Every structure is written in structure tokens, then in C-alpha cells.
Amino acid sequence: MTANSRCSAAEPPGLETQRREIESLLRECELRAGDSWYVMERRWFEQWKEFVENGDQNSSSFPGQIDNSELFEDLDSYHLKERLVENEDFVLVPAEAWHKLLAWYGIVDGQPPLERKVVDLPSTLKVEVYPVEIFLCLHSNMENVITAQFSRADTIREFVSVLIAVTSLNISYENNLSTYKISFNKPLCVCVCVCVCVCVCQTVIMETRNADGTWPSSRPQIMNSVEDQDSYRGQPGVCGLTNLGNTCFMNSALQCLSNTPPLTEYFLRSSYLEELNFTNPLGMKGEIAEAYADVIKQMWSGRHYSVVPRVFKTKVGHFASQFLGYQQHDSQELLSFLLDGLHEDLNRVKNKEYIELRDAEGRPDQEVAEEAWRNHRRRNDSVIVDTFHGLFKSTLVCPECHKVSVTFDPFCYLSVPLPVSKERVMEVFFVSLDPYAKPVQHRVVVPKAGKVSDLCSALSEMTNVPPSQMVVADVFNHRFYKIYNADESLSCILDRDDIFVYELSVQKEEQEEHVLLALYLRERSHYRDYGSGSSSYGTSLFGHPLLLSVPRSSCSHEELYNLFLQRLARSLDQTEPLGGANANCTDNVNPLDSSRVTDTSSGPAAEQTQQPCETTEEENEEDKQEEACSPSPPANEQPAKRRACRKRRKTLFTIQAVNSNGTTERGVGEGGSAVSFSSQPYVAIDWDPEMKKRFYNENEAEKYMKHSSMEVPQQQTTVQLQECIELFTTVETLEEENPWYCPVCKKHQLATKKLDLWSLPEVLIIHLKRFSYTKFTREKLDSIVEFPLRYAHSREEPPSRYDLIAVSNHYGGLRDGHYTSYARNKDNGQWYYFDDSKVTYASEDQIVTNAAYVLFYHRQDKLRKPTLPSPITSPASSTEPASDITSCNDDDAELGATSYLTMETD
């Protein structure tokens, strides 16, 4: 069965019946825990809806087989893409509706049905689009991990069944809260450790009981070690973190916090033990604080090259479901959760009192700010507040009565926007009207908020082709994913899309109507697709599709054949011996000899057989017409001989009308009869494999050229950190979804709002908002932000002077990326580069890059001088691994030698 044919065990019902049955199931089916629903690509489902609402059984809108290709990261693992959005990327249908659609249309070969369970979460029922991944490993061999997927609706018994299947163990278990006894074939006893239940924890560690009856996990965890870990003595804090599987985001955040002196010293002194808050309903029963303390103590013991933060990862996933599994996440999101969790676990306020907030009402800012800070400390008092919290001044102005409201609000970090360019660079392929010209790849600059017509205008300046003669299309998998109108927004075109711009023939106003033909190339298989219930031959798409503008009167079969033949001139191989103009009786075919168009039936050319040369009145008439049309027929060639030769000649391809997916074949008429097309016709030319092999040059067809614009390196945008802060403090108007209630007007208003930095904390965290999400676009801003290593904040008197102490970096794009960090060791003042378990020396001139994502600054009046000499560093040593970072010297780091940069924020 091919991917482009109908697939059904029985003929589907009428279109109205299909529509009515599916709509009824979607309308009446309710979510019930444990039920199965199915994920379907939204584009295919919308095509099906159009087919059953507006089409007929032969409609060109026939959707073809169910195809979820766009939902997968790749077609090998069939893993779902991250951050898919319901009703934008996919739709959910109940099981009964899915099985009906599957029976009527089938599914592309190899693709698995995306069955998902309905789970009963604490506050709602929802379809679990992304299943839980559980990693199974032995405590003695944590590097060898087996991955399995489960639904949150699965039971322990189902988990054990999978465990048996993937590990070949004989397992018996007893329900004893969080411990399950498992037996090997040999008389060994192991323990499966989980937090609450296997479905939530995701990490299952199987361990062998010690000889003394204890479990290995009851001992302090000795993490990723060398052969003789006990003999290693390194610089405390210079310690890597093992990547547990896409956990580089967590490692990066942990390294930055680990190198924040006041917080680390607090945990190393074990001050947290006296302040653990086990009763705070907003906290995590002290578990996050304890898990974090364990990691910090091991990293600063000086006894490990690298540690494995597996227990910490498990705790985070237990209390924050967004971090469950081993998908890539955001280091700033993890940092935000961790700071909040540590604060609530260590909050010295056991019973939070209710405090009514007051407006400034004309009082001096200093008085209102001090009152706001006192109120904040009455409910929030922890080492996190001591170290990271500051105050915003928030000014709201009513656009109607001009009421001014001033409040002061605490913050833990600043999330500052990057100045966004109003222009965008796009790469497109231009396909000329000249059939012998190769496609040319161009790089054009267009308005970010522009339209498709702006893209055509920009390309017109490079090609000298009028924009009116261009049509833009997104090509995917040998077919048109979408053909754009000139007034459509460019925001719906993603950078990863393959965009082709086609030149169309000139259409004068006085000429007749033209039809825009979308042309697909297909290769027929040698066998009929009997399994589909159709007598048609299986086909597969290949090559790049084409768009052509054709006068409606020229849509006869013969004229279309001639047009397509000329349009493919560059791809046709003329090295075969070709029949000449004297029309000798051979089976040779001249690809560019359009006069050889004869049999155009929908069957394969290979089935066109030679017929006996019997003369009929109709054939005599054909001979007369051929003689009249032929420029100079040879005098010695008889009409019957010409007729016999014509009967044996083969066409290179046949023509079929298809839908937008390249399926649903319908004949387009024969001979000179005009073909009737819809508003957006799709046509396929079907090649017999032998003819394609002989005459179609795929290597030549795939070639393209690069325009000089592709050679010009894209300029890296550079902005100053001060610009980001000024943008953060710029006056803005509130959005309609988040209005402000004016106490004078007694209604919600879209007030103007301005934030100012009133007081800054001891450690200032600045998050650079590099990731931008809109309805159509998801992008990462790779601008270089020039941030100072030392600066003074001039809002305060005297100005607060800060030193940079750590940076979390993000490399790559939205779907794939890697986090690392730079950090300055508090004991010796040396900068290090942390890349998961690998640690290398770094220098200050390496730190400012376009990967910088989260910045950590420490106020200088709280900094203490390094207690250890800085190690000897050189260009060679800057790339040495952490295991070689052992040497030291007596040179102290010069902290005051660099001039300060002043940051104006008011």
C-alpha cells in the first residue's frame, strides 16, 4: 500500500454521513479518566472537513491518508515535537471517531497512531498528549538507562509488567507505600525507590541490598567519580554536574547559584537546618532545600570531579510537574522555581498575616517604599529575600481621569526585553520562467510585520522580475504545503520553511483568464494498488513541484503536455538516441519533440501496445490532418506507415488531476478537448519507471545556484544591557486581557504603566528575554548583549557597585539547544566554564557572547576578597579539563582595575 493511495477495508459512507457521524462524536463525547483519545495533525483534519462539507467523492479536496508528519521531530523515532499547541498544531478526537476515520482513509505507512489517555489530574480531566517517560537503571550502573513511556493513568501493576518486559526479570512485589520488593532469577533482593508512585516519579533506581542489610541509597551519594575518588583533592566549587538526559538547563542554573557566595555559605554553614519550614502550605516540606543543600555540599567538598544530581532532579520533578521527564527546559524557569521553592522552604515566618495594601495617595516615595518593604518582610523572611529581593516602583495613570497610582512591589529577578529588529532576513528559492535556468537561492531583508507582497518586492529588486509575476509557496515533501496570497502576513512563514518563489508568464489585461496550475511529479509503481479497492497504479511523489500560469483556453490535454514538456526541459536527458524529423519507425522518444503526443490514456505508458495498421475513415482523416499540419513530410512516407509508427510511439508521462496532497486521480480529458479546472487546480504528471530512468535526470533537476546575497555574512546585532533596562522601564499601555481597575472611574481601564528600579538586592539577577512567542512565530533572539563585568547603579545614593559573578548561557535554537555557564569562584576569584560534567578555565574576555541568557551580579560592598591565590592560567591552560585544574599561584585577582560603567535606569 502506498502513502498516496486511499486505504479502506470497505467503501466509506457518503460525505454528509461522514460529517454527521464525526461531528456527533466530537460534540457528545466527554472526557472520562482512562479513555483513549487520538492526536491528529490539524491541517489534515481541516482538509477533511472541507472535503466533506464542500466536496464530492471525486473532489480535489480529498485529504488522502491520515498524515501526522508535521507533528514529529523526525520520521525515525516518531517523537512528538515540543510545545505543540492544541487547535493550532493538532486536534484531539475520541477513539470511536479515530477508528472511523482510520477505516475510511487509512494512515501513511509506518506512522504509529498517536493514542493518548485521559488522566484525572487534581483539578481537571485532560488528554495526556505528552506521556510520562520513566528511566530505569541500577544504582550500581546509572549510566545504563532503559527508557519506557507510561500514562499517568497506568497502575503499578502495568509498570511492573513493562519492567519485566524490558529487563527480563522475574518480579514479585508487595504494596508497601513507596517501596517494592523485586527478585532476580538469582537470590538477590533489590529495591525500587519512588517518591509517591512510579507514575509521578519517573526515575526508578533498582539497587542491591548491602551485606549488612542496608541499602546503598541510605549512604551519602557518591556521584560520578574517578577510580580512586577518595584520593582526589580539588578546588571546592570547581565541580561538574552530570547530564542526566537533557538536564543541562538544570546544571547551568545550579552552577550559577552554587557560585553565589552568600547563598552557598549559608548552606555550607548548615544554617538552613534551623530555618527549615515544614508547615508552610506554599512550601515543599523542606525537601527542596534539603536536596539542594546535599548537592551544594558535595560540589564544595573538593572531593569530586563531578556529581550526579539525580535525587535533586527527582525532587524537582515531584514538586513541579513541568519539569517531569527528560525533555529540554528553560534554565531561567528552573531558576525561578528553585528560588521560590527555597524561599518558602526556608521562610522564617510560620504564620503569614493578612496585610491590606495601600496606595501612595500623595505620600513621599521614600515613605511608601519603606512601608511596602516592611509589609513584604512581615510575610516573607528568608535567606532568599535577604539575598535576591529588591523593589520596583510601579506608576499607573488612568487615561480617562488621569488618576496616578504609585505602588512598590518586590522582585526576585529582572526579566528585561531585547530591542527587537523591525526587519527580518529570509532565505528563498527563486524559480525562473526560463526552463533551462536553475533555481537560485536568495537572502532578502523584509519587514518583520510585512506581507508576502513585501517579500516579492524585495526579491524583485534582485531579479528584475515584477512582483505581480511572482507567487510564493511553502514546499514540503515534494508537494505544496501552502500557496500564499500576496496580502498574507509573513509571520506565518517560519525560518525553517522551504519557501519557493515562482515566476509566472506575463498576463496582459486584455488577454483571457489564466489558471494557476500546481504541478506535481509522480512515479508509478509496476503494480496495481489492489489493496485500496482502486484499479489505479500506486504512485510516489518526487522532485520539486512547479507553479505555472496557463490561459484557460490552452488547457487541452495536448497543449498541457507540450507546456509541461518544455517546462521540464532542463531535467530531461537527451543523451538517448532520439527519433528524427523523418519519423523513422522506432520506439525512440525525443523528449522535446512535442509533435509526438499520441496515446494519453490514464494507464501506464508501458501498457500501450502496438496495434495492427488497419485503415479506417477516421484514420484517413487523421492522416490528411497530419499531412496538412506537418511542415515537410517526406515524399516517400506513406500515411499508413506514419500511422503505424504513431501507434508505437510512447509519451514520456501521463497527466492526472489530483488534490493538494497529490492523490485522488481523475482524468483530464483527451486530445484537444479543454479541461475544466477549479479555482486552484493541482495536476500530476505520472512517469513510468523505465521512462523516468531513461529520460529524467534527477541529479540535474535537484541542482540550484546561490545568489551573491547568500555570500554576504549576516551582521550580528549588538545591543547594550543599558538599552534592555531602559526598554524594561519604558512607559507601556496595559493589554486588554489585563486592565487596571481605576478607583476614581470605578471601572477597568487600559492604563499606562511604568516600572522603575527603586532598590536593588545584594545579588541582582538579570534575565535576558531571548525567546519570543507569538501566535505564528517562535524565535530566539541571537543579538549580542554587551553587559559590563562591573558597573554602578546610579539610582541609589551612593551608587550601588556590582561585579558580575555568573552567567547562564544558551546555545542553539528553540527546539534544540544546550546550556552552559560561566562562574567566578568565591574562594580564588578565578573564572571557570561549566559544561555539564566538564569544567575548564575561563578568562573575562570570553564571557560576553550572544549565548548569554541569565546574568548574576554581586554588590561590591558585600563581596569579600578571595582567600586563595588565583591559579596560573595561560592560553593553553584555558582549555584544560577540570581534572587538570590543580595548580595555584600567589597572584590575587585585580578587582578594581577596570573602570565602571554607569547604568541609568530612571
Side-chain angles (χ1 to χ4, degrees):
M1 187 184 302
T2 66
N4 296 297
S5 62
R6 296 197 191 201
C7 172
S8 60
E11 190 68 23
L15 301 186
E16 177 58 27
T17 303
Q18 292 184 40
R19 183 190 64 79
R20 187 172 59 253
E21 289 185 9
I22 299 300
E23 284 187 355
S24 175
L25 290 171
L26 292 177
R27 183 172 58 253
E28 298 173 3
C29 196
E30 297 180 355
L31 294 180
R32 290 191 300 268
D35 282 0
S36 291
W37 285 59
Y38 287 81
V39 179
M40 297 184 67
E41 186 187 86
R42 186 191 67 85
R43 187 177 68 88
W44 186 95
F45 191 71
E46 293 296 326
Q47 178 103 23
W48 172 81
K49 287 169 61 177
E50 179 185 347
F51 174 58
V52 297
E53 290 173 1
N54 304 316
D56 54 54
Q57 293 289 10
N58 294 318
S59 172
S60 61
S61 62
F62 176 69
Q65 291 178 304
I66 298 172
D67 187 355
N68 291 325
S69 300
E70 275 298 286
L71 302 181
F72 300 118
E73 284 285 0
D74 57 74
L75 297 181
D76 295 323
S77 65
Y78 289 110
H79 282 170
L80 284 185
K81 294 177 180 176
E82 295 181 28
R83 301 190 183 189
L84 294 175
V85 179
E86 185 177 358
N87 295 326
E88 288 188 18
D89 302 309
F90 67 89
V91 295
L92 293 169
V93 297
E96 188 175 352
W98 162 262
H99 290 304
K100 285 180 179 291
L101 291 171
L102 183 65
W104 297 338
Y105 296 92
I107 189 170
V108 170
D109 283 352
Q111 285 192 13
L114 297 176
E115 181 182 6
R116 296 296 185 262
K117 295 287 184 67
V118 178
V119 293
D120 190 357
L121 299 179
S123 59
T124 184
L125 288 168
K126 77 177 286 190
V127 178
E128 186 182 42
V129 176
Y130 291 95
V132 174
E133 281 191 333
I134 291 183
F135 288 72
L136 312 172
C137 66
L138 291 172
H139 187 275
S140 59
N141 184 14
M142 292 188 179
E143 300 303 319
N144 186 16
V145 179
I146 299 172
T147 306
Q149 285 192 342
F150 295 88
S151 167
R152 289 177 176 83
D154 288 339
T155 63
I156 295 296
R157 186 173 298 276
E158 289 166 325
F159 162 74
V160 172
S161 299
V162 174
L163 189 63
I164 293 172
V166 299
T167 60
S168 302
L169 301 178
N170 288 331
I171 299 173
S172 62
Y173 63 94
E174 57 185 5
N175 191 349
N176 181 19
L177 296 180
S178 63
T179 302
Y180 296 85
K181 300 296 183 182
I182 301 178
S183 298
F184 282 95
N185 291 329
K186 297 181 180 180
L188 296 175
C189 191
V190 296
C191 171
V192 177
C193 300
V194 295
C195 287
V196 177
C197 68
V198 174
C199 303
V200 175
C201 174
Q202 293 187 286
T203 303
V204 178
I205 304 172
M206 297 175 286
E207 53 184 303
T208 305
R209 189 187 295 274
N210 297 320
D212 60 2
T214 62
W215 298 100
S217 59
S218 64
R219 299 178 177 178
Q221 189 175 10
I222 301 302
M223 310 222 179
N224 210 27
S225 61
V226 291
E227 292 182 2
D228 190 5
Q229 181 86 78
D230 292 337
S231 66
Y232 174 71
R233 290 295 180 271
Q235 173 64 47
V238 183
C239 177
L241 291 169
T242 299
N243 192 319
L244 303 175
N246 285 328
T247 57
C248 56
F249 73 97
M250 182 182 76
N251 294 345
S252 176
L254 284 175
Q255 291 289 6
C256 290
L257 282 180
S258 169
N259 286 278
T260 301
L263 186 63
T264 293
E265 289 168 0
Y266 170 86
F267 280 100
L268 293 180
R269 292 193 307 266
S270 294
S271 301
Y272 70 97
L273 293 175
E274 300 177 359
E275 298 183 343
L276 285 171
N277 189 332
F278 300 105
T279 60
N280 186 353
L282 300 178
M284 299 160 197
K285 301 179 181 179
E287 293 184 31
I288 285 293
E290 289 180 318
Y292 178 78
D294 289 343
V295 173
I296 293 299
K297 287 182 176 181
Q298 292 183 64
M299 293 175 68
W300 286 84
S301 68
R303 298 179 181 178
H304 308 298
Y305 293 112
S306 178
V307 299
V308 183
R310 193 180 299 277
V311 174
F312 176 81
K313 168 69 174 65
T314 299
K315 295 289 186 184
V316 169
H318 174 58
F319 289 105
S321 60
Q322 67 268 33
F323 298 113
L324 284 172
Y326 288 82
Q327 302 298 321
Q328 182 65 275
H329 292 284
D330 189 297
S331 68
Q332 187 273 333
E333 291 179 6
L334 186 280
L335 182 67
S336 174
F337 160 78
L338 185 54
L339 289 174
D340 185 63
L342 290 175
H343 161 64
E344 297 295 356
D345 268 5
L346 300 169
N347 198 343
R348 303 174 186 116
V349 179
K350 299 301 188 280
N351 297 305
K352 296 186 179 183
E353 58 181 311
Y354 173 75
I355 300 174
E356 186 174 356
L357 299 178
R358 294 176 56 196
D359 194 80
E361 297 177 347
R363 292 181 294 160
D365 285 350
Q366 189 66 32
E367 177 186 339
V368 180
E370 290 175 356
E371 177 185 77
W373 185 248
R374 285 196 305 270
N375 290 338
H376 179 57
R377 294 302 296 256
R378 286 163 64 185
R379 293 173 53 86
N380 302 278
D381 185 12
S382 70
V383 65
I384 302 299
V385 176
D386 298 340
T387 307
F388 299 100
H389 283 208
L391 272 184
F392 286 137
K393 176 186 176 182
S394 177
T395 305
L396 288 163
V397 180
C398 177
E400 190 172 317
C401 69
H402 304 293
K403 158 72 177 174
V404 178
S405 173
V406 177
T407 58
F408 289 83
D409 305 305
F411 69 88
C412 188
Y413 53 86
L414 304 180
S415 286
V416 299
L418 273 63
V420 179
S421 172
K422 295 182 179 179
E423 294 181 332
R424 173 185 177 188
V425 176
M426 297 183 67
E427 294 182 2
V428 300
F429 292 91
F430 177 71
V431 182
S432 170
L433 199 59
D434 181 358
Y436 292 96
K438 298 182 181 71
V440 182
Q441 187 179 24
H442 292 259
R443 183 177 288 158
V444 295
V445 179
V446 295
K448 184 167 287 188
K451 298 181 182 297
V452 171
S453 57
D454 296 311
L455 170 60
C456 295
S457 297
L459 191 59
S460 175
E461 296 180 4
M462 296 182 177
T463 61
N464 294 323
V465 174
S468 59
Q469 288 179 233
M470 295 181 181
V471 63
V472 179
D474 180 357
V475 175
F476 173 74
N477 201 19
H478 311 296
R479 55 171 62 92
F480 291 113
Y481 186 80
K482 184 172 183 180
I483 300 173
Y484 295 97
N485 296 321
D487 59 351
E488 288 191 73
S489 173
L490 288 175
S491 61
C492 60
I493 299 179
L494 305 182
D495 289 336
R496 67 173 183 268
D497 293 340
D498 291 326
I499 301 301
F500 283 70
V501 181
Y502 297 86
E503 180 186 2
L504 303 180
S505 56
V506 180
Q507 179 180 354
K508 297 181 181 180
E509 294 183 2
E510 62 272 12
Q511 284 185 334
E512 63 175 299
E513 177 188 2
H514 277 56
V515 177
L516 183 64
L517 282 182
L519 177 63
Y520 291 157
L521 281 70
R522 304 194 306 184
E523 181 178 359
R524 282 192 301 263
S525 60
H526 286 288
Y527 56 89
R528 291 186 185 275
D529 193 5
Y530 295 106
S532 67
S534 169
S535 61
S536 63
Y537 279 72
T539 58
S540 59
L541 293 168
F542 69 91
H544 295 303
L546 291 170
L547 284 173
L548 307 90
S549 180
V550 182
R552 189 169 289 276
S553 62
S554 300
C555 288
S556 67
H557 193 288
E558 182 171 340
E559 288 178 293
L560 288 179
Y561 182 93
N562 295 338
L563 175 63
F564 298 161
L565 199 64
Q566 295 299 326
R567 197 69 182 85
L568 297 173
R570 184 173 62 87
S571 308
L572 297 181
D573 193 345
Q574 302 179 48
T575 59
E576 287 276 333
L578 304 176
N582 59 4
N584 292 328
C585 287
T586 70
D587 284 338
N588 295 325
V589 181
N590 185 341
L592 300 185
D593 185 358
S594 60
S595 66
R596 295 177 179 266
V597 182
T598 55
D599 189 351
T600 57
S601 63
S602 60
E607 285 193 351
Q608 296 177 18
T609 57
Q610 298 182 12
Q611 302 293 333
C613 296
E614 295 181 3
T615 304
T616 64
E617 294 182 6
E618 290 81 8
E619 289 170 340
N620 288 331
E621 184 63 28
E622 288 180 10
D623 294 337
K624 295 178 182 178
Q625 293 179 2
E626 184 174 330
E627 289 175 358
C629 297
S630 180
S632 55
N636 61 346
E637 184 172 325
Q638 301 298 320
K641 183 179 180 181
R642 288 201 305 273
R643 183 168 58 254
C645 293
R646 182 174 65 244
K647 298 251 182 213
R648 292 201 303 270
R649 294 172 193 140
K650 303 175 182 177
T651 56
L652 292 185
F653 48 77
T654 58
I655 304 174
Q656 300 289 345
V658 295
N659 65 358
S660 60
N661 287 329
T663 59
T664 313
E665 301 177 3
R666 291 188 298 123
V668 295
E670 297 183 1
S673 60
V675 181
S676 176
F677 286 120
S678 59
S679 58
Q680 180 53 72
Y682 291 84
V683 175
I685 57 175
D686 290 352
W687 290 77
D688 175 78
E690 292 301 323
M691 299 296 283
K692 176 174 175 285
K693 183 178 179 180
R694 286 178 60 187
F695 295 110
Y696 188 84
N697 189 331
E698 286 195 82
N699 290 333
E700 181 63 28
E702 294 295 324
K703 291 180 180 178
Y704 69 95
M705 299 175 62
K706 288 192 175 184
H707 186 261
S708 57
S709 59
M710 295 295 297
E711 307 300 326
V712 179
Q714 292 183 263
Q715 293 185 349
Q716 182 69 58
T717 306
T718 301
V719 298
Q720 301 295 320
L721 179 61
Q722 176 63 23
E723 295 179 58
C724 301
I725 294 180
E726 288 176 354
L727 193 59
F728 176 75
T729 57
T730 299
V731 176
E732 62 177 358
T733 302
L734 297 178
E735 297 177 347
E736 293 184 1
E737 297 81 8
N738 187 30
W740 170 66
Y741 184 80
C742 176
V744 177
C745 299
K746 303 297 182 183
K747 63 180 179 180
H748 288 90
Q749 298 280 19
L750 299 182
T752 60
K753 180 178 181 179
K754 187 179 190 304
L755 289 178
D756 292 300
L757 304 181
W758 179 261
S759 64
L760 299 183
E762 177 180 346
V763 175
L764 175 63
I765 302 176
I766 302 178
H767 163 226
L768 306 175
K769 298 174 68 174
R770 291 194 177 275
F771 298 102
S772 172
Y773 298 96
T774 66
K775 183 177 181 181
F776 294 106
T777 63
R778 304 169 188 178
E779 63 176 335
K780 179 193 173 187
L781 305 176
D782 286 318
S783 306
I784 293 180
V785 178
E786 297 264 353
F787 50 92
L789 274 66
R790 301 168 184 87
Y791 77 89
H793 176 60
S794 62
R795 175 64 181 81
E796 298 175 318
E797 289 294 339
S800 296
R801 298 180 182 274
Y802 283 87
D803 277 8
L804 186 73
I805 58 170
V807 179
S808 174
N809 303 303
H810 178 270
Y811 300 92
L814 289 172
R815 295 184 177 179
D816 55 346
H818 183 58
Y819 288 90
T820 65
S821 54
Y822 287 105
R824 180 178 177 269
N825 187 276
K826 66 183 181 64
D827 292 336
N828 64 13
Q830 171 66 44
W831 280 92
Y832 296 93
Y833 181 64
F834 298 90
D835 185 355
D836 289 331
S837 58
K838 182 180 179 182
V839 186
T840 55
Y841 287 112
S843 58
E844 291 187 348
D845 58 1
Q846 295 176 292
I847 297 170
V848 179
T849 70
N850 66 337
Y853 185 46
V854 184
L855 314 175
F856 286 67
Y857 284 97
H858 196 178
R859 208 165 65 203
Q860 279 189 11
D861 60 351
K862 297 291 185 178
L863 275 173
R864 60 177 174 79
K865 290 185 178 181
T867 57
L868 298 175
S870 176
I872 298 175
T873 59
S874 66
S877 66
S878 65
T879 59
E880 293 176 357
S883 56
D884 294 332
I885 300 179
T886 54
S887 60
C888 300
N889 70 352
D890 296 328
D891 297 330
D892 289 332
E894 282 295 331
L895 298 181
T898 304
S899 60
Y900 289 94
L901 298 180
T902 300
M903 299 179 65
E904 300 288 347
T905 59
D906 225 0

